[in-house]
Amino acid sequence: MANRTFKTGESREQPSLLPARIEDYVGPDNPVRAIESFVHVLDLAKLGFRHAGRKAEGAGQPPYDPADLLKLYLYGYINQIRSSRRLEREACRNLELIWLLKNLKPGYRTIGNFRKENWAALKAANRSFVLLMRELGLVGGSVVAIDGSFFHGNASKASIFTRKRLADQIAKLDQEIEAYGKSLEDNDAAEAKKPGKDGADGDDGDGGDIGEKVAALMTKRSRAQADLVRLEENDQTQLSLTDPDARLLVKSGQGVAGYNVQTAVDDKHKLIVASEVVNDSSDVGQLHALAVAAKESLEVKALQALADEGYYSSRELKACEDDGITAYVPVPEGNARLEKQGRFALKDFNYDGASDTYRCPAGHQLHPMKSRQKNTSGRIEIRYAARGATCKTCPLKVCCLASNATNRTIGRWEHEDVLERHRARMQGAGELMRRRSGIVEHPFGTLKCRAGYRHFLVRGFDKVRGEWSLMALCYNFTRVLNILGFDAFLAALAKTLAPCRSTLAALLKGIQVALGAFWANIQPRLAIGRFAPA
């Protein structure tokens, strides 16, 4: 054998007697086969995928099977390939995709339209995988952690206008228009002072250019004024010219033009069991809806929901308790306004449920008043007041009463017992709250840091929610595959298919029995007809 400097490949001109099989492109334990098996299990027509229930009819080019396009997206999002143009290129050169799609090569428009048109079906597919995780026993179903994270939208910060920004823009445009108007007046005055020239026959100079600039500024001002009027009429605070549903979200001094993704993560294997996409910076008001969605997905009667301080809301805690959800949310300290003034706060008064009275630090009672009052947050409160004569002679009056008050009154929410039970529950919830961040931050860290999913490629609530469902599905899919292993995952999918196969086998057996009975009845008649006289 002759010595060679390097290893050499085969000649590209060498003909092959038999073509290579596409089946040989991937190994028997390649994860791409798990994608094939999972999509094969799904009932795409029931999930709502377009063209899934289509039958061969009419002339013309048939569409791509939605199963093939779903396989393409699952493979792409699992392998950090999200762009429709990149997916088009990979379908032509990636051996795993060539195997998965059986050498189909859809165009980027077809690929992009599939993601836009099937956003609801993608959400349904994500829910179906959550059901599969529950059947496989991969979710505990007792504790979920809830949190949100900002994702960039397909819009820039400059494309989002607030009322203040529009008002400042209009004021700045007015100044520029006024400056150009003054310049025009100065030019006219200078032209009039020139000797031997008639204003009607003179040259315009820069007057025409300035007039065009003023007209452009006036058009821009009219557009800004119309946007401001639209915000005021719709009672909105922001307006995006690129993505109508994207908002400028600000938290801890950092701003993002995009969406706030809310997730509920099960504590057993850190799998996402429920999620939602909103465009509000605050997490207040999201606890109950997300916890109920997680409870319905897990199909449990009781659930513990862990969240951070940003989710604290008395109404949300009340709603969670009514639906059998035990919420653990740290109680915010508030602004401590009364403490800063050196006065007693509500926590310094003890409530007696038997007598329905409060006892102040000096030991005097505050009795309920007949009238109810709605506070600034809209809650109905019961007012408790002490006697004026008692407060007048109290030695702690300086630490209790305001300068112009004659007696002390405090407010109690009509469902204050819910908050009291919550405060008592939080006294021993230190270990749960330490577990919370480790549970719920894992999916966000994996999606953002490992997969690079920090922004959405589509615009609008519906499409963004569909893309997020695709992200969550791929995260859960990859994690379940790592937890179970390739063989166990395929075995679980085969077990899911078993009822369908048994139904099909029973149907085939019924057809076989019916054909046997038919042949038994028709065979004697054929024999008689063969020997009968003509």
Side-chain angles (χ1 to χ4, degrees), residues 363-425:
H364 304 298
Q365 285 186 335
L366 284 76
H367 297 274
M369 302 171 67
K370 293 182 179 180
S371 61
R372 299 291 187 266
Q373 183 177 345
K374 182 180 292 188
N375 63 6
T376 55
S377 62
R379 301 188 313 176
I380 304 298
E381 289 186 345
I382 305 170
R383 305 298 295 177
Y384 291 78
R387 294 181 179 179
T390 304
C391 292
K392 185 177 181 180
T393 60
C394 180
L396 301 179
K397 177 176 64 175
V398 179
C399 301
C400 188
L401 297 181
S403 58
N404 58 349
T406 57
N407 65 328
R408 181 61 188 267
T409 60
I410 58 176
R412 175 184 174 86
W413 184 37
E414 57 182 349
H415 301 295
E416 189 72 23
D417 55 330
V418 174
L419 302 184
E420 291 174 350
R421 287 191 290 270
H422 174 259
R423 284 191 290 266
R425 187 165 60 242

Side-chain angles (χ1 to χ4, degrees), residues 35 38-39 54 127 240 262 279 286 317 324 357 363 444 458:
I35 299 176
F38 170 65
V39 175
R54 182 181 182 274
R127 286 194 298 269
S240 175
Q262 301 283 321
N279 60 1
Q286 307 297 332
L317 294 174
T357 59
F444 284 133
V458 292

Side-chain angles (χ1 to χ4, degrees), residues 288-511:
H288 174 249
L290 205 57
V292 168
K295 184 183 175 184
E296 292 175 353
S297 298
L298 298 172
E299 291 188 354
V300 293
K301 295 182 179 180
L303 185 68
Q304 291 182 341
L306 316 179
D308 60 20
E309 185 178 312
Y311 287 85
Y312 185 86
S313 169
S314 56
R315 292 181 175 179
E316 292 289 302
L317 294 174
K318 172 68 168 55
C320 287
E321 185 175 288
D322 292 342
D323 287 329
I325 299 169
T326 305
Y328 291 85
V329 185
V331 181
E333 296 181 358
N335 55 10
R337 179 179 58 87
L338 294 178
E339 287 88 339
K340 292 177 182 178
Q341 296 176 1
R343 297 169 55 195
F344 295 127
L346 178 62
K347 63 181 181 181
D348 299 316
F349 293 76
N350 297 322
Y351 179 72
D352 184 5
S355 60
D356 190 22
T357 59
Y358 272 96
R359 189 170 295 277
C360 70
H364 304 298
Q365 285 186 335
L366 284 76
H367 297 274
M369 302 171 67
K370 293 182 179 180
S371 61
R372 299 291 187 266
Q373 183 177 345
K374 182 180 292 188
N375 63 6
T376 55
S377 62
R379 301 188 313 176
I380 304 298
E381 289 186 345
I382 305 170
R383 305 298 295 177
Y384 291 78
R387 294 181 179 179
T390 304
C391 292
K392 185 177 181 180
T393 60
C394 180
L396 301 179
K397 177 176 64 175
V398 179
C399 301
C400 188
L401 297 181
S403 58
N404 58 349
T406 57
N407 65 328
R408 181 61 188 267
T409 60
I410 58 176
R412 175 184 174 86
W413 184 37
E414 57 182 349
H415 301 295
E416 189 72 23
D417 55 330
V418 174
L419 302 184
E420 291 174 350
R421 287 191 290 270
H422 174 259
R423 284 191 290 266
R425 187 165 60 242
M426 292 301 297
Q427 295 296 325
E431 180 62 28
L432 277 176
M433 300 315 297
R434 281 189 289 271
R435 287 173 54 197
R436 182 204 66 84
S437 59
I439 297 170
V440 75
E441 296 295 344
H442 183 275
F444 284 133
T446 303
L447 289 170
K448 287 190 171 184
C449 298
R450 184 189 67 82
Y453 297 162
R454 297 178 177 271
H455 67 285
F456 293 107
L457 300 180
V458 292
R459 299 172 182 173
F461 256 137
D462 292 339
K463 297 173 186 176
V464 166
R465 284 167 176 158
E467 186 179 9
W468 165 252
S469 298
L470 194 56
M471 294 180 187
L473 172 59
C474 290
Y475 165 81
N476 285 337
F477 185 91
T478 304
R479 187 150 181 81
V480 169
L481 190 60
N482 292 333
I483 293 170
L484 295 179
F486 179 78
D487 295 333
F489 184 73
L490 291 188
L493 292 178
K495 185 178 179 182
T496 305
L497 273 177
C500 300
R501 289 173 177 169
S502 60
T503 303
L504 181 61
L507 179 62
L508 292 176
K509 186 176 181 180
I511 295 174

Side-chain angles (χ1 to χ4, degrees), residues 31-41 68 71 99-102 477 493:
V32 74
R33 294 183 180 272
I35 299 176
E36 168 84 10
S37 300
F38 170 65
V39 175
H40 184 60
V41 170
D68 292 327
K71 295 174 191 175
W99 178 91
L100 190 62
L101 302 181
K102 300 176 183 178
F477 185 91
L493 292 178

Side-chain angles (χ1 to χ4, degrees), residues 119-245:
W119 59 268
L122 291 173
K123 291 180 65 176
N126 184 32
R127 286 194 298 269
S128 66
F129 194 78
V130 173
L131 297 178
L132 176 63
M133 296 188 305
R134 191 187 67 207
E135 292 176 2
L136 298 179
L138 297 178
V139 292
S142 59
V143 179
V144 296
I146 295 174
D147 202 359
S149 183
F150 291 168
F151 282 71
H152 293 272
N154 193 358
S156 64
K157 294 181 181 179
S159 66
I160 298 179
F161 292 88
T162 61
R163 294 185 183 182
K164 183 179 181 304
R165 184 176 176 185
L166 286 173
D168 293 342
Q169 183 181 7
I170 292 173
K172 185 177 180 181
L173 289 172
D174 288 338
Q175 293 178 358
E176 294 181 7
I177 292 171
E178 184 179 356
Y180 276 118
K182 189 175 182 301
S183 177
L184 282 174
E185 293 176 358
D186 294 341
N187 287 341
D188 293 341
E191 288 292 334
K193 291 180 180 180
K194 289 183 180 180
K197 276 205 173 187
D198 188 1
D201 299 331
D203 190 7
D204 289 342
D206 295 333
D209 295 339
I210 295 177
E212 292 177 0
K213 292 179 181 179
V214 171
L217 290 175
M218 291 294 292
T219 303
K220 192 173 181 181
R221 187 192 184 284
S222 300
R223 188 163 52 245
Q225 184 66 38
D227 292 338
L228 182 59
V229 171
R230 192 195 320 174
L231 281 178
E232 294 175 349
E233 290 178 349
N234 298 330
D235 195 20
Q236 296 178 346
T237 58
Q238 297 185 26
L239 174 68
S240 175
L241 302 180
T242 304
D243 185 348
D245 295 322

